[in-house]
């Protein structure tokens, strides 16, 4: 709930470009996947950006199995993500 509240607060304050760095995250639950999907739905206008970076192989595998790798922009690092913005 803390992650979702923090993301929602940022979006409500007008921050429409969100990059989540998963460095150090070894696992994501179904609740975490739900938060990512809900965030993607909120940030779908042409000027919005939503991306993930720094995924461990384990987290990437979970996202891939859930079919989320085709939904989200995923980058190896913050620098590479921001370079495309």
């Amino acid at each position: 709930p803390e992650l979702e509240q923090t993301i929602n607060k940022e979006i409500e304050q007008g921050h429409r470009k969100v990059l989540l760095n998963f460095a150090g995250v070894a696992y994501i639950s179904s609740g975490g996947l739900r938060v990512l999907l809900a965030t993607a739905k909120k940030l779908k206008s042409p000027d919005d950006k939503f991306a993930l970076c720094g995924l461990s192989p384990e987290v990437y595998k979970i996202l891939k199995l859930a079919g989320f790798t085709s939904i989200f922009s995923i980058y190896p690092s913050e620098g590479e993500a921001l370079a495309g913005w």
Side-chain angles (χ1 to χ4, degrees):
E2 203 173 310
L3 174 63
E4 187 170 26
Q5 290 170 359
T6 301
I7 291 171
N8 287 338
K9 182 179 176 183
E10 291 297 320
I11 292 171
E12 288 167 9
Q13 291 177 354
H15 300 119
R16 308 292 301 178
K17 294 182 178 168
V18 177
L19 175 61
L20 299 179
N21 188 335
F22 277 76
V25 176
Y27 173 79
I28 186 166
S29 68
S30 60
L33 294 174
R34 182 190 59 75
V35 170
L36 295 180
L37 193 56
T39 301
K41 287 181 179 181
K42 290 175 187 164
L43 297 171
K44 60 183 177 183
S45 76
D47 293 333
D48 294 344
K49 300 281 187 192
F50 179 56
L52 314 175
C53 71
L55 278 76
S56 68
E58 296 84 6
V59 171
Y60 182 82
K61 182 178 178 181
I62 292 168
L63 290 175
K64 187 170 182 155
L65 289 171
F68 284 12
T69 54
S70 62
I71 297 171
F72 304 122
S73 297
I74 300 173
Y75 298 90
S77 68
E78 280 186 32
E80 290 172 270
L82 297 174
W85 291 10

